Amino acid sequence: MAELFSDLTERPLKETVCLFDVDGTLSPARLHASPEMLQTLAALRHKCAIGFVGGSNLVKQEEQLGTPSISVISLFDFCFSENGLTAYRMGKQLASQSFIGWLGQEKYQRLARWVLRYIANIEGIPKMTGTFIEFRNGMINVSPVGRNASKEERDEFEAWDKKTNTRTKMIEALKKEFPDYGLTYSIGGQISFDVFPTGWDKTYCLQYIEAEKDVSGIEYKNIHFFGDKAFEGGNDWEIYSDERTIGHSVKNPEDTIRILKETFGI
Ligand code: M1P
């Protein structure tokens, strides 16, 4: 049964919000969060506001965090998919911008053709599946093995990429080819990288947290962020190192639970 949570203004730590990366922080990569994690988050939500900020789209976050009876948008006060380009507050969707609106169809087509040609010419790739470009609202996701890869194919690609640096080399080539596009390329997971306008990294979602002063009257003084890719080049780096947040670098979901228990006494 769905638990009831008090209004944001009535939580004991009402000036505190905890934001979490998803893969590797709340759940193992691409897998579901554990019951212990969901219980810990629910306990935390009785104390302060909680939200996730993930690179993936909402469909994937629903699979990884939602349950058959409760949708992910009811489990968190703030849901930031695609770094916040798709955003929900208390179950209601907020206005957002789009990647294609920002870049334009003509430039996008040039980029997409180049990407597909580059992937077609990669030598020695262990497997190719399908969906080499996933077109999302706020970004595109590029995967040389393809987004249809199974768990085994993902692991195989990741190991091969560690040896060959295929993704890093492709990003370098993209930067050289499209120097004036104003895009950022970010490796956040096992088999792909995200491409979005510079500035639309995870710090993008902080505007919604700051806007709470005008929406609910709450000025969040303590914005905690938890992420497992909190190193330069990782997709948690910008928000982790942003002066507006208190960054926590975690090793895995168990580590997140440990820090939450120690920090918030839950
Ligand atoms: O959330 C981290 C990343 O998760 C996926 O990465 P991959 O499929 O490579 O493991 C993608 O959804 C990616 O967009 C996201 O940043």
Side-chain angles (χ1 to χ4, degrees), residues 119 130-134 141-147 157 191-193:
I119 292 176
T131 315
F132 301 102
I133 298 177
E134 185 171 80
N141 176 267
V142 174
S143 174
V145 59
R147 296 219 58 80
F157 175 83
I191 58 159
S192 64
F193 58 90

Side-chain angles (χ1 to χ4, degrees), residues 21-23 29-30 54-57 60 134 136 139 141 147 154 167 186 188-194 202 235:
D21 161 58
V22 180
D23 279 310
R30 298 256 55 81
S56 297
N57 57 17
K60 307 235 170 55
E134 185 171 80
R136 301 178 180 168
M139 64 173 72
N141 176 267
R147 296 219 58 80
R154 286 180 152 266
R167 284 184 291 178
S186 168
Q190 280 184 294
I191 58 159
S192 64
F193 58 90
D194 297 327
K202 288 188 183 181
N235 70 345

Side-chain angles (χ1 to χ4, degrees), residues 5 9 13 15 25 29 49 54 59 69 89 93 104 157 165 172 174 190 204 206 208 215 220 239-240 248 258:
F5 295 92
T9 55
L13 303 174
E15 291 174 345
T25 300
V59 175
S69 55
R89 175 193 184 274
Q93 190 164 11
F157 175 83
N165 286 318
E172 286 317 311
L174 270 161
Q190 280 184 294
Y204 187 91
L206 295 177
Y208 296 113
V215 179
Y220 283 108
I239 187 166
Y240 167 82
H248 303 270
R258 181 188 62 76

Side-chain angles (χ1 to χ4, degrees), residues 26-220:
L26 292 182
S27 74
R30 298 256 55 81
L31 299 177
H32 202 276
S34 67
E36 192 191 0
M37 176 59 85
L38 296 180
Q39 279 155 17
T40 307
L41 290 172
L44 182 64
R45 198 176 175 193
H46 284 295
K47 292 206 158 186
C48 65
I50 65 168
F52 70 77
V53 47
S56 297
N57 57 17
L58 191 62
V59 175
K60 307 235 170 55
Q61 286 134 4
E62 186 68 64
E63 286 165 12
Q64 290 178 257
L65 302 170
T67 69
S69 55
I70 313 175
S71 146
V72 66
I73 58 171
S74 314
L75 287 172
F76 292 82
D77 302 301
F78 299 99
C79 299
F80 299 125
S81 302
E82 302 183 41
N83 299 347
L85 265 297
T86 297
Y88 285 79
R89 175 193 184 274
M90 307 303 279
K92 295 220 169 65
Q93 190 164 11
L94 304 172
S96 72
Q97 300 189 61
S98 77
F99 174 82
I100 194 67
W102 184 88
L103 188 63
Q105 189 57 228
E106 204 183 311
K107 281 173 135 183
Y108 170 63
Q109 285 197 21
R110 248 192 78 208
L111 180 79
R113 288 205 187 90
W114 189 95
V115 162
L116 293 173
R117 267 198 302 268
Y118 187 98
I119 292 176
N121 288 321
I122 296 176
E123 298 284 347
I125 189 161
K127 297 268 162 48
M128 286 174 90
T129 65
T131 315
F132 301 102
I133 298 177
E134 185 171 80
F135 187 83
R136 301 178 180 168
N137 177 48
M139 64 173 72
I140 58 166
N141 176 267
V142 174
S143 174
V145 59
R147 296 219 58 80
N148 300 357
S150 64
K151 172 87 178 76
E152 290 68 38
E153 288 163 343
R154 286 180 152 266
D155 294 344
E156 186 185 30
F157 175 83
E158 191 182 22
W160 180 76
D161 186 51
K162 273 195 185 124
K163 279 194 285 182
T164 59
N165 286 318
T166 297
R167 284 184 291 178
T168 310
K169 285 180 195 157
M170 185 170 177
I171 288 173
E172 286 317 311
L174 270 161
K175 285 185 184 161
K176 230 169 130 192
E177 186 69 23
F178 300 97
D180 54 340
Y181 266 35
L183 293 171
T184 292
Y185 306 88
S186 168
I187 298 179
Q190 280 184 294
I191 58 159
S192 64
F193 58 90
D194 297 327
V195 183
F196 48 80
T198 299
W200 291 15
D201 52 58
K202 288 188 183 181
T203 59
Y204 187 91
C205 77
L206 295 177
Q207 62 186 283
Y208 296 113
I209 299 296
E210 292 179 319
E212 276 300 313
K213 338 191 232 319
D214 304 319
V215 179
S216 58
I218 301 175
E219 195 167 338
Y220 283 108

